Amino acid sequence: MASSSQASGQARQGSQAVPNPAFRRLRGQRSAGEFAAAVRKAAREIGEQVSCDARYIGRVEAGEIRCPNYAYERVFLHMFPGLTLADLGFAARERVRGGQVARRRGPEPAHPCCPFDIDSDIDSDIDSDIDEESDVLRRAFMTSGTTTVAAASLGLGLGLVPNQRRVGEAEVNAVEEAVRRIRLLDDRHGADGLYRQAAQPLRAAYALLDAGTATRRSTADRLHSGAGELAISVGWLAHDSGRFDDARSHYGEALATARVAGDGALEAHAFCNTSFLARDAGRYREAVRSAQAGQRAAHRLASARLLSLLSLREAGGWAGLGDRGACEKSLVRAHGYFDRGAADADPEWMSFFGEPELEALQAQCWSALGEWSRAARHARRAASLQDRRFTRNLALYRAELALNLAHAGAPAEAARAGQQVLDLLEEVRSTRIQSMVSETARVLVPQRGAGDVGTFLDRVGEAGRGA
């Protein structure tokens, strides 16, 4: 008898996508790429962040995406006021979700080859924000042992025979969607608990690179880029959960993939994360050199925001070295690039980089230079600006604020900020944030009698005993 996962997969394979002519008419004479750019522009107008491209538009028009997620829904309704989702050619959300919820929450246990399902609490929290593309992602998180199984985990059928391996749109889409899935989960819940699960689709992606034959050069390029981005995403999970050696290995793998494929955007991303990791590991000159190498790669692109982030990474390295002058020059350059605004050429992975992150990275520079009050001002602004949906970053910024305040001689305010972080850590699992909370507690121990410090220290102690 087929398992429930196999049965549902066969049912999906048997169903045919129904094209969406209504959405195609709304595009008019614009190309899919031009329309995608208009979608991104509309998203910025209402404060949303979507990674729309020509492929997404094509999938909507082909009927592969029957109902957009909530962010896209808000953008589309903003673009076409007065129209409903039905007018745009989409199915009702309850029709699309119903079958999936029944499959995911039914009485049968999850398929043992799908470790992503073991964290059902996390999955249920984000079901409402993931469109039906996530069915592909669920297959992307299957265990990959042999090349055949690895290919199956990215959406290929298990009947694949060795001399017929071909990589097409389905496989590349699965790799790209696995990257988005990881990023969304990290935004909501932090890296701890995700890292080992995420390593499995990474092995699958590289198995396809090693053994598969792409049907077109463009498909091969996308697979290299997707696999590299997946390596960076998994590397970040290792980085944020304190596995620095693993992170360095994954970032190096992504950089090698970028060099092989001649992908400047991927190379810049790999250097950006390598710089970040080097700074956290205390290798400050490496942080500076990596950020500078990333800027050289990024100059081939048309993204001022990417250059801004890389300049901030360089500033962090200079701050670690105690070179205030070089740090300030890098910060000025970062602000200059940032003020040019967002652009269509900004990489998809940079959706996190807005004003809150700009403020937070400046706070890190000033704290490294020992200017705790100045660091606290930037950290406070980062926390106040951060969208509440991105729980992990909100916890991170408040943790930075608490630590800076503790060092700046404001123990009561530091304790209050620290308690807010502890509240958020009920949802977020991040070794990096937890270590910042622990350091804040150590700084505040001599001032237990000030304000809420005692309560905060007791909570930290209880959390440590329960870990």
Side-chain angles (χ1 to χ4, degrees):
M1 179 180 292
S3 71
S4 59
S5 295
Q6 291 170 324
S8 63
Q10 291 164 358
R12 283 194 297 272
Q13 291 169 2
S15 62
Q16 296 295 319
V18 179
N20 184 341
F23 197 85
R24 174 63 186 87
R25 285 193 295 272
L26 291 170
R27 175 158 67 88
Q29 297 301 311
R30 289 173 288 187
S31 69
E34 291 170 337
F35 190 64
V39 172
R40 295 194 299 273
K41 180 176 183 293
R44 292 195 292 271
E45 290 172 355
I46 60 173
E48 285 290 352
Q49 293 178 329
V50 297
S51 54
C52 189
D53 57 15
R55 292 190 296 276
Y56 181 88
I57 299 301
R59 297 186 70 194
V60 172
E61 293 178 357
E64 295 176 24
I65 297 174
R66 294 183 295 151
C67 182
N69 67 23
Y70 289 108
Y72 274 107
E73 176 183 348
R74 287 188 286 271
V75 175
F76 291 149
L77 296 183
H78 169 68
M79 292 177 70
F80 305 105
L83 298 186
T84 66
L85 282 181
D87 296 329
L88 298 175
F90 292 113
R93 179 166 278 106
E94 56 270 19
R95 282 177 49 201
V96 174
R97 303 276 181 233
Q100 293 176 358
V101 172
R103 288 196 301 272
R104 295 174 188 172
R105 304 290 179 252
E108 292 192 58
H111 193 281
C113 285
C114 195
F116 186 75
D117 280 337
I118 64 176
D119 200 346
S120 59
D121 290 337
I122 288 180
D123 200 27
S124 64
D125 285 343
I126 66 167
D127 272 345
S128 61
D129 284 334
I130 301 292
D131 58 32
E132 57 276 3
E133 292 172 294
S134 63
D135 278 343
V136 178
L137 303 185
R138 200 162 286 278
R139 295 195 295 276
F141 277 87
M142 290 169 62
T143 299
S144 55
T146 65
T147 299
T148 300
V149 177
S153 76
L154 290 171
L156 286 173
L158 289 170
L160 190 69
V161 296
N163 62 358
Q164 291 181 331
R165 282 191 282 264
R166 289 293 183 270
V167 177
E169 288 288 317
E171 296 73 50
V172 175
N173 284 339
V175 174
E176 293 170 344
E177 292 304 327
V179 174
R180 295 185 180 110
R181 180 77 162 185
I182 289 170
R183 288 173 184 161
L184 178 59
L185 285 169
D186 177 53
D187 283 341
R188 299 293 176 82
H189 303 283
D192 291 17
L194 294 177
Y195 172 57
R196 298 204 181 280
Q197 295 180 47
Q200 295 173 13
L202 177 61
R203 289 195 296 271
Y206 275 92
L208 288 176
L209 276 180
D210 290 341
T213 302
T215 55
R216 292 186 301 228
R217 175 60 185 270
S218 61
T219 303
D221 289 344
R222 282 179 58 201
L223 181 59
H224 274 88
S225 178
E229 290 292 343
L230 192 53
I232 292 174
S233 292
V234 175
W236 165 246
L237 296 179
H239 180 171
D240 195 43
S241 57
R243 301 174 174 94
F244 284 7
D245 289 342
D246 287 353
R248 188 169 187 167
S249 175
H250 289 308
Y251 292 160
E253 188 172 37
L255 181 58
T257 303
R259 292 282 176 79
V260 167
D263 188 331
L266 179 60
E267 182 177 344
H269 191 185
F271 273 126
C272 183
N273 277 47
T274 299
S275 176
F276 188 10
L277 175 66
R279 192 213 65 174
D280 280 359
R283 299 190 301 270
Y284 300 118
R285 291 204 179 278
E286 180 184 334
V288 170
R289 290 195 299 269
S290 296
Q292 291 171 340
Q295 289 170 69
R296 288 193 293 273
H299 272 298
R300 303 197 295 268
L301 310 172
S303 173
R305 285 287 169 91
L306 176 55
L307 289 168
S308 176
L309 178 57
L310 286 160
S311 297
L312 286 162
R313 296 287 187 235
E314 183 182 346
W318 288 124
L321 290 168
D323 192 331
R324 180 189 176 109
C327 176
E328 288 183 330
K329 287 180 181 177
S330 296
L331 289 176
V332 168
R333 189 168 64 250
H335 274 278
Y337 284 129
F338 189 88
D339 290 344
R340 295 185 190 180
D344 292 339
D346 293 341
E348 179 181 330
W349 60 267
M350 287 191 64
S351 60
F352 77 96
F353 184 57
E355 194 174 356
E357 184 71 8
L358 175 70
E359 294 289 339
L361 293 178
Q362 290 177 93
Q364 292 171 15
C365 289
W366 295 119
S367 64
L369 290 167
E371 297 200 22
W372 301 107
S373 295
R374 191 169 185 176
R377 288 198 297 272
H378 286 287
R380 183 181 289 107
R381 182 161 172 75
S384 68
L385 291 171
Q386 179 58 45
D387 189 319
R388 296 305 191 260
R389 291 175 298 172
F390 298 102
T391 313
R392 181 203 163 275
N393 276 4
L394 183 59
L396 174 63
Y397 300 158
R398 285 182 175 167
E400 290 175 343
L401 174 60
L403 183 57
N404 291 329
L405 288 168
H407 280 292
E413 190 178 356
R416 288 193 294 271
Q419 294 211 63
Q420 292 176 333
V421 179
L422 291 173
D423 292 339
L424 291 168
L425 286 178
E426 295 176 4
E427 304 173 46
V428 175
R429 295 191 294 275
S430 167
T431 298
R432 184 168 171 235
I433 297 173
Q434 289 168 341
S435 67
M436 294 172 72
V437 171
S438 297
E439 185 178 351
T440 301
R442 285 195 296 273
V443 174
L444 291 178
V445 165
Q447 302 173 77
R448 174 178 281 274
D452 297 322
V453 172
T455 303
F456 169 65
L457 294 177
D458 289 343
R459 287 189 64 186
V460 172
E462 290 171 5
R465 288 190 293 273

